[in-house]
Amino acid sequence: MKVFVYSCRKFDEEALFYRFAEQYGIELGICREAPTLENAGLARGASYLSIITSKIERPLMERFASMGIRMISTRTVGYDHIDLEAAKEFGVGVSNATYTPECVADYTIMLMLMAIRKMKRIMQRAAINDFTLQGIQGRLLSSFTVGVLGTGKIGRQVIKNLSGFGCRVLAYDLFESDEVRSYAEYTDLETIYRECDLITLHMPLTPENDHMINRDSIARMRDGVVIINTARGGLIDSQALIEGLESGKVGAAGLDVVEKEFGMYYYDRKSDLLGNRELSILRDLPNVVVTPHMAFYTDQSISDMVGHSLLSCRLTEDGKENPWKIL
Ligand code: COI
């Protein structure tokens, strides 16, 4: 049984791929590049693909299906980069890979603290020996009402982490979890917008919640609200966020994800014109911390992503229950 791996990074993934492949009795094919119509042929002879965030749109799905690919495993939690309709149409299975939610949850708390303690300004000033205090006074997280949108594994871990800070936590999800009720109060979106000083996003991106943070929802939020996004860039209308930040309606933001990040993040683009104006503006604002989709990135997550991706192919091949199966 062969798995062809796209976008395999030499410095942190490759050795893990060989270790887990040996453990699960898998033959590997490895390629550094993301999958495209041009390099799809490299995967010939494999029944499974392991990919990361590269887009798999209809034509590529059709090509892989015609080559006999049974399943595409993305070594990510989110799978909004895969055309699921096309996968269904061409009979290609899809699976994801989970990793410990602490990776993203810890990072989320870091972005919250950076935002409310004005860390970007503090670091910029300290770097030029400006050790003055005016303009960098912070606020205590314990004085905040925090709204957590999305209480899946990551949202739940964020809520648990927050419980140590002593802040009031409101939560929203279409599916409520009993575990969350020990630390937070479930409520509706309107109440979250009206009562929260900080709102953090932890939901998958779907057609229904695309741009859920927009001019209208921002207008319903508290003045000076802090917005944190470690989930998917598409949840926020960047233009509306910029307007909110410029008017002071939004007091600060911590963004590990932005719109139009595909093909940009994880590549060296320093000599290119990025053509992402919203990113340029957001990066320039003193009250916005932007990081390049790094919240997941720890030793533990990489081992989990590689291991779970290969194990999910092994289980499918053996006709066993695959806990990461999406389709
Ligand atoms: C995910 O696992 O869904 C992530 O957001 C991290 C990935 C883009 C590498």
Side-chain angles (χ1 to χ4, degrees):
M1 163 214 176
K2 182 167 176 183
V3 177
F4 193 81
V5 183
Y6 279 103
S7 311
C8 177
R9 296 185 303 265
K10 188 160 184 62
F11 55 89
D12 61 347
E13 289 187 313
E14 191 174 287
L16 289 165
F17 264 111
Y18 283 114
R19 175 160 18 110
F20 284 111
E22 193 179 353
Q23 185 178 337
Y24 300 135
I26 290 173
E27 184 193 343
L28 283 184
I30 283 193
C31 165
R32 302 260 171 259
E33 314 301 325
T36 60
L37 284 171
E38 287 67 44
N39 67 19
L42 295 174
R44 203 167 289 287
S47 316
Y48 299 88
L49 300 182
S50 175
I51 64 159
I52 37 175
T53 46
S54 37
K55 285 220 185 268
I56 306 287
E57 287 165 342
R58 199 172 181 282
L60 194 50
M61 190 66 80
E62 186 171 18
R63 174 71 61 83
F64 283 134
S66 74
M67 288 164 45
I69 297 296
R70 286 186 59 185
M71 186 180 81
I72 300 179
S73 156
T74 178
R75 21 188 216 285
T76 56
V77 175
Y79 44 87
D80 48 292
H81 48 292
I82 302 179
D83 184 338
L84 294 184
E85 284 311 310
K88 266 187 231 153
E89 183 183 337
F90 299 117
V92 178
V94 173
S95 68
N96 71 347
T98 48
Y99 42 87
T100 173
E102 279 104 318
C103 302
V104 179
D106 287 4
Y107 199 95
T108 304
I109 301 291
M110 178 184 77
L111 286 182
M112 288 181 189
L113 290 171
M114 287 182 84
I116 69 173
R117 298 304 295 263
K118 305 198 169 124
M119 188 49 75
K120 184 168 172 182
R121 278 179 262 209
I122 292 174
M123 292 185 76
Q124 284 171 336
R125 287 187 194 194
I128 54 165
N129 296 346
D130 174 354
F131 306 122
T132 59
L133 287 174
Q134 195 176 355
I136 49 172
Q137 191 173 60
R139 285 187 293 161
L140 290 181
L141 194 44
S142 58
S143 71
F144 275 55
T145 298
V146 176
V148 179
L149 304 189
T151 59
K153 285 196 183 117
I154 294 173
R156 289 206 292 276
Q157 186 60 42
V158 168
I159 290 172
K160 278 191 212 158
N161 288 358
L162 282 173
S163 67
F165 285 88
C167 45
R168 177 177 176 230
V169 183
L170 300 182
Y172 170 79
D173 202 308
L174 296 175
F175 308 96
E176 301 192 356
S177 132
D178 283 339
E179 197 190 351
V180 165
R181 290 198 188 88
S182 338
Y183 305 99
E185 186 191 325
Y186 273 111
T187 185
D188 52 66
L189 273 181
E190 253 349 278
T191 309
I192 299 243
Y193 293 153
R194 194 178 56 244
E195 295 193 13
C196 289
D197 307 290
L198 184 153
I199 294 175
T200 182
L201 308 178
H202 300 287
M203 48 245 294
L205 179 65
T206 63
E208 291 72 38
N209 65 19
D210 189 81
H211 280 189
M212 67 175 291
I213 305 299
N214 52 37
R215 277 184 194 89
D216 179 51
S217 48
I218 290 175
R220 279 149 41 213
M221 292 177 193
R222 297 194 73 154
D223 290 346
V225 64
V226 176
I227 297 179
I228 305 294
N229 190 4
T230 53
R232 284 294 179 268
L235 293 168
I236 301 184
D237 174 348
S238 314
Q239 195 48 47
L241 177 64
I242 290 168
E243 286 166 21
L245 285 156
E246 284 173 341
S247 71
K249 176 76 190 177
V250 179
L255 308 172
D256 187 46
V257 288
V258 288
E259 289 188 272
K260 298 185 276 178
E261 67 175 60
F262 282 110
M264 182 176 71
Y265 283 171
Y266 313 135
Y267 294 94
D268 180 352
R269 303 282 309 271
K270 63 176 166 291
S271 304
D272 301 339
L273 294 173
L274 286 184
N276 188 331
R277 290 182 186 191
E278 290 81 13
L279 175 63
S280 305
I281 296 171
L282 288 165
R283 257 194 329 209
D284 206 41
L285 295 173
N287 51 349
V288 179
V289 174
V290 179
T291 58
H293 207 150
M294 290 287 137
F296 75 101
Y297 196 48
T298 65
D299 50 353
Q300 183 62 50
S301 62
I302 298 308
S303 174
D304 287 346
M305 288 158 113
V306 170
H308 294 167
S309 178
L310 288 187
L311 181 56
S312 119
C313 300
R314 177 80 264 168
L315 292 171
T316 304
E317 176 72 7
D318 295 347
K320 295 194 176 139
E321 170 89 13
N322 173 5
W324 298 283
K325 179 178 159 64
I326 306 296
L327 272 186

